[in-house]
Amino acid sequence: MLDELPVTSKFLAETSSKSQSVSGPNRYYEMLYLIGLGLSSVEDITVRGLKVVQKCARVYLEAYTSILMAASKEDLESFYGKEVILADRELVESSSGAILEGADKVDVAFLVVGDPFGATTHTDLAIRARSLGIPFEAIHNASVMNAVGACGLQLYNFGQTVSLVFFMDNWKPDSFYDRIKENRKIGLHTLVLLDIKVKEQSFENMARGRMIYEPPRYMNIETAASQLLEIEDIRNEKVYTADTPCVSVSRLGSSAQKFVAATLGELAEIESGEPLHSLVILGHRIHEMEIEYLLDFATSKAKFQQAVEAELDTAKAMQPPTQVEEDED
Ligand SMILES: C[S@@+](CC[C@H](N)C(=O)[O-])C[C@H]1O[C@@H](n2cnc3c(N)ncnc32)[C@H](O)[C@@H]1O
């Protein structure tokens, strides 16, 4: 695809005049574009997204909530043929003025891995643009929120998505537990998104005011499963157990994509490899076609099938008895 870039650039140059605005019919004003990059390669950007990037005066890459599986900032720069500015949390959340500056006079692109409104949304930036009278437009793309369907679970059967952060000795936030409880009560699957820590300072460096950052950390499946079980041990409401059937979702959308269907206890013991990862806790309303698809990813088909059947039996046992009309005849 890189070889084809000159052709792409020529095409873009021909179509980027104001009278043939790429931002939609009758659009001729400059604006902020929130552009989804998809999940993996530089080529996952949509054709419309690429056209817009090519005409923007400044291009920012949101660099703290997700990463592309198979492309770096430098790869993006050489694909677009222009500079890409990394936007860390501080820039986006506290100094967004720098991003929005002049976005009513020149086009500015804000690139987001996945979809701009997938999982962590960037509505904040959109609201700030709106309050400054800067028009904005979103150009959508695949997100972990929908691509997770590739594991065989139907998106219609998912409940609330939850996030799991890295625990510390004295800080183990567990609000996800109640959300999972609500989902499981009505039999829905739960997508668990795992913590990413970038540009974090150690306590020592922070205390000494040294702007030295720790290497980035991405939560893996084994840590996620262990932390989930740790909270079940503490709360003990049997929302899930080590026997609950789950699916690990690794490097979604890339050539190294991998799913593992196993119990939560088994997932606490696997080696999930390179990031990024997500995890799905199955709900009892699972359809037999979902089960059939998942079995291909099972570490042990028999054991996984057993875990799913136990899950269905427990759900049945918890249902209120059917009312029998006594005086029907
Ligand atoms: C805050 S969400 C960002 C979502 C992104 N804007 C999107 O629409 O996909 C980031 C989390 O989603 C999950 N995730 C994102 N991309 C993934 C991938 N390619 N494979 C597995 N999990 C992924 C990981 O748990 C990651 O920590």
Side-chain angles (χ1 to χ4, degrees), residues 65-66 69 113-115 118-120 143-144 193-194 196 252 276-278:
T65 66
S66 203
M69 295 295 84
V113 173
D115 186 86
T120 315
S143 164
V144 63
L193 300 179
L194 312 186
I196 292 178
L252 193 57
L276 291 172
H277 308 278
S278 301

Side-chain angles (χ1 to χ4, degrees), residues 23 28 36 43 58 65 86 108 118 162 209 261 302:
S23 58
Y28 56 89
E43 297 170 18
R58 297 198 308 277
T65 66
L86 280 187
V108 173
V162 301

Side-chain angles (χ1 to χ4, degrees), residues 75-125:
D75 295 333
L76 294 177
E77 287 180 325
S78 72
F79 187 67
Y80 304 149
K82 58 167 54 179
E83 185 199 2
V84 170
I85 306 159
L86 280 187
D88 60 15
R89 190 183 292 278
E90 154 70 16
L91 181 62
V92 178
E93 292 179 0
S94 312
S95 323
S96 61
I99 297 174
L100 296 174
E101 190 171 354
D104 51 348
K105 300 188 182 64
V106 293
D107 288 312
V108 173
F110 183 74
L111 310 180
V112 180
V113 173
D115 186 86
F117 295 112
T120 315
T121 67
H122 288 293
T123 21
D124 229 36
L125 191 62

